[in-house]
Amino acid sequence: MDKHEFLEVEHPIIQAPMAGVQDSTLALAVSAAGALGSLPCAMLSHEALKKELEILKSQTNNPININFFCHTPPTPNIDAENNWRKALQPFFNEFGIDPNDIPDGPSREPFSHNIADILEDFKPTIISFHFGLPAKDLLQRVNGWGTKIISSATTIEEALWLEANGADGIIAQGLEAGGHRGMFLSKDLNTQMGTFALLPQIVRRVNVPVIAAGGIADEHGVASALELGASAVQIGTAYLLCNEANVTPLYRTALKSDTAHQTAITNVFSGRPARGIINRVISELGPISTQTPEFPLALTAISALRSKAEAEGSSDFSPLWSGQNTSGCKEISATELTKQLALGVRGI
């Protein structure tokens, strides 16, 4: 299958779904340039999801990638939560936070039949998943719409598992990528590889299209990934400063700083490994802490610190998700950035 046929767009470029910093506006801007825009849905309520889908349906006939998590929600553990709050207590003291007054943190809802009910009329061209794949009955339902299914693999083993379990395409997520690692067969970070080591190995082992993700920030990176056998590329970090991204002023300042390239894979924000710009809480509690509750339960306590710190003009407790390569970040329209990235497709 040709790369263009697979995504059903002009350019084999996917804008990475980035929960918390974008909505349909960014997806539509990318789509307008002939690439595949994405809508992250893991943090959306059912009502918000319906609204975003209606916006997409009314404003474009082009394909849009609809993205979901498919983790297993953990059972709350009082001891684990208490240990986590004990680790955060010095920060609570500093900001005058009473742990007993902390409201529930942001949720991360995995893909479900209730969500599929909402998608039924929309029938997206592509749905992407993070953290593996949902149950077989859900996959069969999605396949019945004629929807293509893609998911992230961070190892060769995960890629083979995804292909064997129904993925129509595989995102080879390299170690450089920003945000949450898509790893799901192992929690061992030593299994993780860089994009240009992982990509050709997955390409050789699977028979479905492979999408390169991680560290690709300009047209030269796009060309290199395609030359190594990728059917397409997925790019996230480069879009963070675009006009259509909902990135806070504090986050933008961090991305534009001289230390933006200093990132780490950390679990202190959500309980699951994710790459972000190093700030105070990563330095003092992590990068990897053994005291975090299971994903996404760690969010509750640390979100209270984030809110207080941001109100005082500090991003010390904010998840500043970013890949290792911020050199492609530009304060322009995502439509224009996509056109520049597409220059790397020529001649491949």
Side-chain angles (χ1 to χ4, degrees), residues 190-212:
N190 291 321
T191 63
Q192 305 295 280
M193 284 187 262
T195 303
F196 291 104
L198 180 66
L199 170 63
Q201 294 187 72
I202 290 180
V203 168
R204 283 197 295 269
R205 297 291 298 276
V206 302
N207 296 308
V208 295
V210 180
I211 298 141

Side-chain angles (χ1 to χ4, degrees), residues 81-326:
E81 184 65 28
N82 287 339
N83 286 337
W84 181 224
R85 295 190 180 208
K86 184 177 179 180
L88 296 175
Q89 190 61 52
F91 304 125
F92 292 153
N93 293 341
E94 180 180 336
F95 286 94
I97 296 172
D98 183 344
N100 297 315
D101 294 336
I102 296 175
D104 289 339
S107 63
R108 301 289 187 275
E109 184 179 355
F111 192 66
S112 66
H113 280 291
N114 287 336
I115 292 173
D117 289 343
I118 297 171
L119 291 175
E120 192 91 53
D121 291 336
F122 189 71
K123 293 184 175 60
T125 304
I126 291 180
I127 290 181
S128 65
F129 294 107
H130 219 44
F131 314 133
L133 291 170
K136 288 188 189 272
D137 59 330
L138 276 166
L139 286 180
Q140 289 171 353
R141 187 173 177 185
V142 171
N143 282 328
W145 305 334
T147 298
K148 297 186 184 77
I149 295 166
I150 60 178
S151 186
S152 301
T154 67
T155 63
I156 299 163
E157 292 75 18
E158 288 177 346
L160 293 170
W161 187 95
L162 290 173
E163 182 181 38
N165 285 276
D168 299 303
I170 294 166
I171 302 163
Q173 188 191 34
L175 191 62
E176 304 94 327
H180 281 93
R181 307 295 304 146
M183 57 198 304
F184 61 93
L185 289 184
S186 170
K187 294 183 179 181
D188 183 2
L189 286 171
N190 291 321
T191 63
Q192 305 295 280
M193 284 187 262
T195 303
F196 291 104
L198 180 66
L199 170 63
Q201 294 187 72
I202 290 180
V203 168
R204 283 197 295 269
R205 297 291 298 276
V206 302
N207 296 308
V208 295
V210 180
I211 298 141
I216 301 168
D218 57 25
E219 66 269 27
H220 304 296
V222 171
S224 297
L226 296 178
E227 286 173 353
L228 282 174
S231 294
V233 298
Q234 179 169 281
I235 298 171
T237 301
Y239 284 106
L240 285 172
L241 290 182
C242 285
N243 303 338
E244 297 85 359
N246 299 329
V247 174
T248 66
L250 286 172
Y251 197 165
R252 285 181 177 271
T253 297
L255 287 164
K256 290 156 64 172
S257 72
D258 292 336
T259 57
H261 64 283
Q262 296 176 3
T263 65
I265 292 178
T266 181
N267 66 346
V268 300
F269 293 105
S270 71
R272 197 161 190 144
R275 184 177 293 283
I277 298 170
I278 295 173
N279 56 8
R280 180 184 170 192
V281 70
I282 293 176
S283 298
E284 295 186 16
L285 282 186
I288 300 297
S289 170
T290 59
Q291 295 174 285
T292 59
E294 288 292 309
F295 174 88
L297 300 178
L299 285 158
T300 296
I302 207 158
S303 292
L305 286 165
R306 173 186 180 177
S307 295
K308 280 279 191 178
E310 289 185 350
E312 296 180 9
S314 170
S315 60
D316 283 345
F317 297 87
S318 305
L320 305 169
W321 302 139
S322 174
Q324 289 183 323
N325 189 356
T326 58

